[in-house]
Amino acid sequence: MKSARCVLFAYHETGYACMEALLKMGAPIAALFTHRDDPHEEIWWRSCAELATRHGVPVHLDESVETAGAKLAASKPNVIYSFSYRHLIPESVLALAPLGAFNLHPSLLPAYRGRAPVNWVLVNGERETGVTLHHMVARADAGDIVGQRAVAIDDGDNALTLYRKLVPLGVDLIDELHPKIVAGTAPRRMMDISKGSYFGRRKPEDGRIDWRLPARKIFNLVRAVTHPYPGAFCFVGGRKLFLWQVQIGSENGTLGAPGRVVREMTDGALEIAAGEGSVIVKVAQFEDGVEGVAREALSQAGRVTDTIQFD
């Protein structure tokens, strides 16, 4: 195993944790291809580039895979791994690894192929998700499956807490399966993508709340895109209002016109009527304001609570 050279395309916390696992088991990492952090994102994860540098691994930052062919070939990889890497790796690169090229995808493939699966499973109210290690092919998230781990989703989860649940599952797969990949004994089963689903990239504008929806759907959207993501939002008096933390007040009945504030809680939270049921808004923030308890954040609107309409 210690002679099987690995090339990693890795980023984010999953990339860091899986690279760390490979280093701990003595796997030689010949090169790391990774990304520069985007200053517009909330960066909460550890740096793959820093970890690689500490261990003397050559780092290539945001280098086009197509133009890096010579460097990749010189690395003579036996195995290629992709962990949270944001670009599709071409077949010409995948073919450089005689033991295979593998991607760790944060869903139970073939379900939720594509982008932002952690966010999408929450938006869609799923009760289970997981991680999948699979062979990489020309088509994204379509190669044969090597291994999977599942985890339950509960109402206390948001995108960040769910992501943190998935990271150790990915590490478990690498710990178990990398030695088998090197030995040529790793399991392999065909993925039937016709039985799965595909979702594309989510954009900040996809966070717009439709108050005509049931409370459960609004709750799911908010927790799917809260910090460190761009946030779910609506408008109050023409001003953009972000909702960072909500809970379900009720799931049945009609409490008022959708978007109408129907009750102020003793802790400053506001209960808002949905198309069915209600949502309790606990933490909010105007686009140009300060994040805080809902009633305090809304006080900037200069209006009486029971006349405020969320649009």
Side-chain angles (χ1 to χ4, degrees), residues 4-177:
R5 294 163 61 83
C6 302
V7 166
L8 271 54
F9 294 84
Y11 187 60
H12 218 279
E13 185 64 19
T14 292
Y16 186 104
C18 290
M19 179 165 57
E20 188 176 50
L22 288 167
L23 289 166
K24 284 180 178 178
M25 70 176 76
I29 300 177
L32 167 70
F33 288 79
T34 189
H35 306 293
R36 289 182 173 85
D37 292 334
D38 184 339
H40 298 102
E41 293 185 57
E42 292 187 33
I43 307 300
W44 59 269
W45 53 86
R46 294 173 290 176
S47 168
C48 291
E50 290 179 4
L51 177 62
T53 299
R54 290 201 303 272
H55 288 270
V57 176
V59 177
H60 306 284
L61 283 166
D62 283 324
E63 187 167 349
S64 168
V65 177
E66 288 80 359
T67 61
K71 293 177 182 178
L72 279 159
S75 298
K76 297 181 179 179
N78 298 102
V79 183
I80 289 174
Y81 284 116
S82 175
F83 305 129
S84 298
Y85 193 70
R86 293 178 172 178
H87 303 313
L88 192 64
I89 301 173
E91 285 184 286
S92 60
V93 171
L94 304 181
L96 293 172
L99 294 178
F102 305 87
N103 177 54
L104 186 67
H105 185 76
S107 80
L108 294 174
L109 293 174
Y112 291 91
R113 295 172 55 242
R115 301 280 189 166
V118 174
N119 308 93
W120 278 116
V121 295
L122 291 169
V123 169
N124 292 334
E126 301 288 357
R127 290 297 184 181
E128 183 183 63
T129 188
V131 294
T132 302
L133 187 68
H134 67 95
H135 288 263
M136 283 190 282
V137 294
R139 192 172 182 180
D141 308 324
D144 294 350
I145 292 173
V146 183
Q148 292 183 308
R149 293 284 190 278
V151 69
I153 303 171
D154 59 50
D155 279 0
D157 281 317
N158 58 35
L160 181 57
T161 64
L162 183 55
Y163 191 97
R164 290 191 185 279
K165 284 183 177 181
L166 296 177
V167 171
L169 300 185
V171 171
D172 286 347
L173 284 177
I174 296 303
D175 284 341
E176 176 191 344
L177 294 170

Side-chain angles (χ1 to χ4, degrees), residues 196-249:
S197 52
Y198 179 87
F199 291 87
R201 184 191 301 272
R202 290 191 61 83
K203 302 178 291 296
E205 54 265 34
D206 295 330
R208 175 74 185 263
I209 296 168
D210 183 350
W211 290 99
R212 297 168 297 180
L213 293 174
R216 170 68 59 174
K217 287 186 174 293
I218 295 170
F219 166 74
N220 284 337
L221 174 61
V222 173
R223 68 188 182 130
V225 296
T226 191
H227 296 304
Y229 294 92
F233 64 92
C234 59
F235 290 87
V236 174
R239 299 173 65 189
K240 193 172 189 178
L241 181 73
F242 290 96
L243 307 187
W244 295 115
Q245 183 183 349
V246 305
Q247 64 186 49
I248 295 173

Side-chain angles (χ1 to χ4, degrees), residues 208-215 218 233-239 241 243 253-263 270-281 298 303-311:
R208 175 74 185 263
I209 296 168
D210 183 350
W211 290 99
R212 297 168 297 180
L213 293 174
I218 295 170
F233 64 92
C234 59
F235 290 87
V236 174
R239 299 173 65 189
L241 181 73
L243 307 187
T254 302
L255 280 71
R260 176 68 66 180
V261 177
V262 296
R263 184 163 59 117
L270 300 175
E271 186 172 13
I272 315 297
E276 183 178 2
S278 65
V279 172
I280 296 174
V281 179
L298 266 293
R303 303 168 69 179
V304 179
T305 300
D306 61 7
T307 68
I308 292 178
Q309 175 73 34
F310 286 40
D311 298 319

